[in-house]
Amino acid sequence: MKKPAAKTLAKFAGPLVLLGAGKMGSAMLDGWLAHGLSPRKLVVLEPQPGKAVKALARRGLKLNPKGKPAAAAAIVIAVKPQSAPEAVPSLRAHVGKTTLVLSIMAGRTLGFLENALPGATAIVRAMPNTPAAIGRGITVAVGNGKVSARQRKLASDLLAAIGTVEWVGDEALMNAVTALSGSGPAYVFLLAEAMTKAGIAAGLPAELAAQLARETVAGSGELLHRSTVDAAALRQNVTSPSGTTAAALDVLMGPGGFDELLTKAIAAAARRGRELAG
Ligand SMILES: NC(=O)c1ccc[n+]([C@@H]2O[C@H](COP(=O)([O-])OP(=O)(O)OC[C@H]3O[C@@H](n4cnc5c(N)ncnc54)[C@H](OP(=O)(O)O)[C@@H]3O)[C@@H](O)[C@H]2O)c1
């Protein structure tokens, strides 16, 4: 049975402003509520709120409030990077002396955010991934020089609501992070797709092949998650010398195999991240 979430946000005074309640913003919102945050401490700015946000507005969440806002304790930016030039400056009115701004926008740098917000604003840039939707994401965060220890702890608590959190000191690493864990779920889903096709090519009915691929990827992921040993040891555990797995691994680990392909793929994603950041 799943453990109930620790109420790490129960004592957070707020207000917490969320800009953009799309897929990621809503996943974070769900996580915050599960971690004890009261809807009354939340302000959501979202032109097209979904049913869940509208229901929370009936429980005290402030949805697109009018008038002069109070300074926020924290602001989370979860709009698409393309919306940022228009959306981020509109947050200025919510920024006070001790406000923490936390952005999860891919490719939008600390420098971009510093230019769009009042000088001296404490800013954290973070890159989550889509397993955040089930509280099993991994997020890497980097802060600017204005982030205090308390604000860093707050950013960690807000991000921990959607999974594991790691910090880096060098923002330049965020392109590699995006390429590995940000885009990574797509590589794993592609693996399931490719295994399905390969199973069909080996003679299995399509439906059975899809089920075997899905459960194998999901079950192996969970085994890796729960295991104390690393992926290489788990791989070796299913590989007997000269057996069937070894025959497949000879192909996958040979020239032009997995390692080479993923190194190329992740380098391409990191390069694209650098291009998009300008
Ligand atoms: N999905 C991922 O795998 C992933 C991973 C890491 C980081 N991220 C980052 O997370 C951010 C959100 O991604 P997402 O997939 O959640 O996108 P999304 O579902 O499109 O959500 C963005 C939401 O923000 C709203 N919005 C747009 N302009 C706004 C404005 N000016 N004020 C307030 N709300 C506004 C959008 O409304 P409309 O629909 O009306 O435009 C939409 O509901 C992106 O910056 C992305 O780079 C995503």
Side-chain angles (χ1 to χ4, degrees):
M1 213 172 70
K2 210 176 160 219
K3 273 196 301 188
K7 302 291 176 204
T8 42
L9 295 171
K11 292 201 177 124
F12 174 60
L16 171 57
V17 175
L18 172 65
L19 177 74
K23 288 183 282 296
M24 272 289 169
S26 296
M28 295 186 87
L29 197 55
D30 289 345
W32 298 332
L33 297 169
H35 284 72
L37 186 73
S38 157
R40 283 190 302 279
K41 293 175 186 162
L42 269 161
V43 177
V44 170
L45 308 175
E46 165 60 59
Q48 293 187 57
K51 274 195 200 132
V53 173
K54 285 185 188 158
L56 286 166
R58 292 191 286 277
R59 290 175 46 206
L61 175 148
K62 294 178 196 64
L63 180 57
N64 301 319
K66 301 273 177 286
K68 190 174 162 24
I75 300 173
V76 174
I77 305 177
V79 295
K80 292 272 189 218
Q82 309 85 280
S83 309
E86 170 225 322
V88 178
S90 73
L91 291 170
R92 286 170 160 267
H94 296 267
V95 177
K97 280 204 181 75
T98 58
T99 304
L100 164 74
V101 174
L102 169 60
S103 163
I104 62 159
M105 292 184 292
R108 288 293 180 184
T109 61
L110 288 171
F112 167 86
L113 293 159
E114 281 167 349
N115 285 335
L117 294 166
T121 305
I123 303 171
V124 170
R125 173 183 170 194
M127 174 48 57
N129 63 6
T130 51
I134 55 162
R136 284 282 298 277
I138 180 150
T139 302
V140 176
V142 60
N144 72 354
K146 311 285 191 261
V147 179
S148 68
R150 247 179 107 200
Q151 287 170 322
R152 185 179 156 115
K153 163 85 171 54
L154 175 57
S156 288
D157 286 348
L158 292 172
L159 293 168
I162 50 166
T164 304
V165 186
E166 293 293 337
W167 287 82
V168 291
D170 178 3
E171 189 181 7
L173 294 177
M174 291 304 269
N175 290 317
V177 165
T178 305
L180 179 54
S181 57
S183 306
Y187 316 154
V188 176
F189 299 136
L190 178 64
L191 173 66
E193 290 177 65
M195 284 172 71
T196 303
K197 284 184 200 152
I200 295 168
L204 292 172
E207 212 172 303
L208 180 60
Q211 190 194 2
L212 295 182
R214 171 192 280 257
E215 293 305 322
T216 301
V217 170
S220 307
E222 187 61 27
L223 182 61
L224 180 60
H225 175 67
R226 293 193 201 180
S227 178
T228 50
V229 297
D230 63 14
L234 290 171
R235 171 176 53 76
Q236 280 149 14
N237 287 349
V238 284
T239 315
S240 38
S242 311
T244 56
T245 311
L249 290 178
D250 282 346
V251 177
L252 290 172
M253 298 172 83
F258 246 24
D259 286 10
E260 244 176 74
L261 268 178
L262 274 175
T263 304
K264 267 199 237 164
I266 287 177
R271 203 163 46 241
R272 185 72 185 128
R274 283 192 295 276
E275 283 165 14
L276 290 175

